[in-house]
Short mmCIF file of all heavy atoms in Angstrom, two decimals:
data_model
loop_
_atom_site.label_atom_id
_atom_site.label_comp_id
_atom_site.label_asym_id
_atom_site.label_seq_id
_atom_site.Cartn_x
_atom_site.Cartn_y
_atom_site.Cartn_z
N ARG A 510 -15.68 65.91 -61.16
CA ARG A 510 -16.57 65.35 -60.12
C ARG A 510 -17.60 64.35 -60.71
O ARG A 510 -18.12 63.50 -60.01
CB ARG A 510 -17.28 66.46 -59.34
CG ARG A 510 -18.27 67.27 -60.17
CD ARG A 510 -18.76 68.45 -59.40
NE ARG A 510 -19.42 68.06 -58.17
CZ ARG A 510 -19.75 68.90 -57.19
NH1 ARG A 510 -19.46 70.18 -57.31
NH2 ARG A 510 -20.38 68.49 -56.13
N ASP A 511 -17.90 64.47 -61.99
CA ASP A 511 -18.86 63.56 -62.61
C ASP A 511 -18.30 62.12 -62.59
O ASP A 511 -17.31 61.80 -63.23
CB ASP A 511 -19.08 64.02 -64.08
CG ASP A 511 -20.03 63.08 -64.82
OD1 ASP A 511 -20.47 62.05 -64.23
OD2 ASP A 511 -20.37 63.39 -65.98
N LEU A 512 -18.99 61.28 -61.80
CA LEU A 512 -18.45 59.91 -61.59
C LEU A 512 -18.45 59.08 -62.87
O LEU A 512 -17.59 58.27 -63.07
CB LEU A 512 -19.26 59.22 -60.51
CG LEU A 512 -18.94 59.69 -59.09
CD1 LEU A 512 -19.96 59.20 -58.11
CD2 LEU A 512 -17.57 59.24 -58.68
N ARG A 513 -19.45 59.35 -63.72
CA ARG A 513 -19.47 58.57 -64.97
C ARG A 513 -18.22 58.90 -65.82
O ARG A 513 -17.62 58.05 -66.42
CB ARG A 513 -20.73 58.91 -65.76
CG ARG A 513 -21.78 57.78 -65.64
CD ARG A 513 -23.00 58.09 -66.42
NE ARG A 513 -23.43 59.45 -66.08
CZ ARG A 513 -24.54 59.99 -66.57
NH1 ARG A 513 -25.31 59.35 -67.38
NH2 ARG A 513 -24.90 61.22 -66.21
N ARG A 514 -17.89 60.18 -65.78
CA ARG A 514 -16.69 60.59 -66.54
C ARG A 514 -15.42 59.97 -65.90
O ARG A 514 -14.57 59.46 -66.61
CB ARG A 514 -16.59 62.11 -66.56
CG ARG A 514 -15.39 62.56 -67.32
CD ARG A 514 -15.41 64.02 -67.69
NE ARG A 514 -14.23 64.29 -68.51
CZ ARG A 514 -13.50 65.37 -68.38
NH1 ARG A 514 -13.81 66.31 -67.52
NH2 ARG A 514 -12.44 65.54 -69.15
N GLN A 515 -15.36 60.00 -64.58
CA GLN A 515 -14.20 59.42 -63.92
C GLN A 515 -14.07 57.94 -64.26
O GLN A 515 -12.98 57.45 -64.48
CB GLN A 515 -14.32 59.54 -62.38
CG GLN A 515 -14.09 60.95 -61.88
CD GLN A 515 -13.81 60.96 -60.37
OE1 GLN A 515 -12.97 60.24 -59.91
NE2 GLN A 515 -14.55 61.75 -59.65
N ASN A 516 -15.18 57.26 -64.24
CA ASN A 516 -15.16 55.81 -64.57
C ASN A 516 -14.78 55.58 -66.03
O ASN A 516 -14.06 54.64 -66.33
CB ASN A 516 -16.49 55.18 -64.25
CG ASN A 516 -16.57 54.77 -62.79
OD1 ASN A 516 -15.78 53.99 -62.30
ND2 ASN A 516 -17.51 55.36 -62.08
N ASP A 517 -15.25 56.48 -66.90
CA ASP A 517 -14.87 56.34 -68.30
C ASP A 517 -13.37 56.57 -68.51
O ASP A 517 -12.70 55.87 -69.27
CB ASP A 517 -15.66 57.33 -69.16
CG ASP A 517 -15.21 57.28 -70.59
OD1 ASP A 517 -15.29 56.18 -71.18
OD2 ASP A 517 -14.71 58.30 -71.12
N ILE A 518 -12.81 57.52 -67.76
CA ILE A 518 -11.36 57.77 -67.82
C ILE A 518 -10.59 56.55 -67.27
O ILE A 518 -9.55 56.17 -67.78
CB ILE A 518 -10.98 59.05 -67.04
CG1 ILE A 518 -11.62 60.27 -67.69
CG2 ILE A 518 -9.46 59.20 -66.94
CD1 ILE A 518 -11.65 61.51 -66.81
N GLY A 519 -11.18 55.95 -66.26
CA GLY A 519 -10.57 54.73 -65.72
C GLY A 519 -9.44 54.97 -64.76
O GLY A 519 -9.24 56.11 -64.27
N GLY A 520 -8.66 53.92 -64.46
CA GLY A 520 -7.59 53.99 -63.49
C GLY A 520 -6.57 55.08 -63.84
O GLY A 520 -6.00 55.05 -64.91
N LEU A 521 -6.42 56.03 -62.95
CA LEU A 521 -5.46 57.12 -63.19
C LEU A 521 -4.95 57.66 -61.87
O LEU A 521 -5.72 58.10 -61.04
CB LEU A 521 -6.14 58.22 -64.00
CG LEU A 521 -5.21 59.14 -64.81
CD1 LEU A 521 -5.98 59.89 -65.89
CD2 LEU A 521 -4.45 60.13 -63.94
N LYS A 522 -3.65 57.61 -61.68
CA LYS A 522 -3.05 58.08 -60.42
C LYS A 522 -2.52 59.47 -60.61
O LYS A 522 -1.57 59.66 -61.33
CB LYS A 522 -1.94 57.14 -59.97
CG LYS A 522 -2.34 55.66 -60.00
CD LYS A 522 -2.54 55.17 -58.58
CE LYS A 522 -2.83 53.68 -58.61
NZ LYS A 522 -3.50 53.21 -57.39
N LEU A 523 -3.15 60.43 -59.93
CA LEU A 523 -2.69 61.81 -60.00
C LEU A 523 -2.15 62.17 -58.64
O LEU A 523 -2.80 61.95 -57.61
CB LEU A 523 -3.88 62.69 -60.41
CG LEU A 523 -3.52 64.09 -60.87
CD1 LEU A 523 -4.50 64.57 -61.91
CD2 LEU A 523 -3.49 65.09 -59.73
N LYS A 524 -0.93 62.72 -58.62
CA LYS A 524 -0.25 62.98 -57.32
C LYS A 524 0.40 64.36 -57.35
O LYS A 524 1.01 64.74 -58.31
CB LYS A 524 0.79 61.91 -57.07
CG LYS A 524 0.22 60.47 -57.28
CD LYS A 524 1.13 59.39 -56.83
CE LYS A 524 0.61 58.07 -57.35
NZ LYS A 524 0.79 56.93 -56.48
N ILE A 525 0.20 65.06 -56.20
CA ILE A 525 0.60 66.48 -56.16
C ILE A 525 1.51 66.77 -54.98
O ILE A 525 1.18 66.44 -53.84
CB ILE A 525 -0.66 67.40 -56.03
CG1 ILE A 525 -1.70 67.06 -57.08
CG2 ILE A 525 -0.24 68.87 -56.10
CD1 ILE A 525 -3.02 67.79 -56.93
N SER A 526 2.66 67.38 -55.27
CA SER A 526 3.58 67.81 -54.21
C SER A 526 3.71 69.32 -54.25
O SER A 526 3.76 69.91 -55.35
CB SER A 526 4.99 67.21 -54.40
OG SER A 526 4.95 65.82 -54.50
N GLY A 527 3.86 69.93 -53.09
CA GLY A 527 4.03 71.38 -53.03
C GLY A 527 5.48 71.84 -53.01
O GLY A 527 5.74 73.03 -52.89
N CYS A 528 6.40 70.90 -53.12
CA CYS A 528 7.83 71.27 -53.27
C CYS A 528 8.62 70.05 -53.73
O CYS A 528 8.11 68.94 -53.79
CB CYS A 528 8.42 71.85 -51.98
SG CYS A 528 8.92 70.63 -50.76
N VAL A 529 9.91 70.28 -53.99
CA VAL A 529 10.72 69.19 -54.55
C VAL A 529 10.94 68.02 -53.60
O VAL A 529 11.42 66.97 -54.04
CB VAL A 529 12.14 69.69 -54.98
CG1 VAL A 529 12.03 70.55 -56.22
CG2 VAL A 529 12.84 70.42 -53.83
N ASN A 530 10.59 68.17 -52.36
CA ASN A 530 10.79 67.04 -51.44
C ASN A 530 9.82 65.88 -51.78
O ASN A 530 10.00 64.78 -51.32
CB ASN A 530 10.65 67.45 -49.99
CG ASN A 530 11.81 68.38 -49.61
OD1 ASN A 530 12.97 68.01 -49.80
ND2 ASN A 530 11.53 69.55 -49.10
N ALA A 531 8.79 66.20 -52.54
CA ALA A 531 7.95 65.17 -53.17
C ALA A 531 7.16 64.30 -52.20
O ALA A 531 6.91 63.13 -52.46
CB ALA A 531 8.80 64.27 -54.08
N CYS A 532 6.73 64.90 -51.10
CA CYS A 532 5.88 64.14 -50.14
C CYS A 532 4.57 63.71 -50.81
O CYS A 532 3.93 62.76 -50.36
CB CYS A 532 5.56 65.01 -48.92
SG CYS A 532 7.03 65.37 -47.96
N GLY A 533 4.15 64.41 -51.85
CA GLY A 533 2.92 64.02 -52.56
C GLY A 533 3.18 63.04 -53.68
O GLY A 533 2.28 62.78 -54.48
N HIS A 534 4.41 62.44 -53.70
CA HIS A 534 4.72 61.34 -54.62
C HIS A 534 4.52 61.69 -56.10
O HIS A 534 4.18 60.83 -56.92
CB HIS A 534 3.90 60.08 -54.30
CG HIS A 534 4.27 59.42 -53.02
ND1 HIS A 534 3.89 58.13 -52.72
CD2 HIS A 534 5.02 59.84 -51.99
CE1 HIS A 534 4.39 57.83 -51.52
NE2 HIS A 534 5.09 58.83 -51.06
#
Side-chain angles (χ1 to χ4, degrees):
Chain A
R510 66 189 301 169
D511 177 356
L512 285 166
R513 256 180 312 183
R514 181 163 183 222
Q515 286 197 52
N516 276 300
D517 175 59
I518 295 163
L521 203 162
K522 310 254 184 201
L523 195 147
K524 311 189 192 215
I525 308 174
S526 305
C528 81
V529 289
N530 292 308
C532 295
H534 290 195

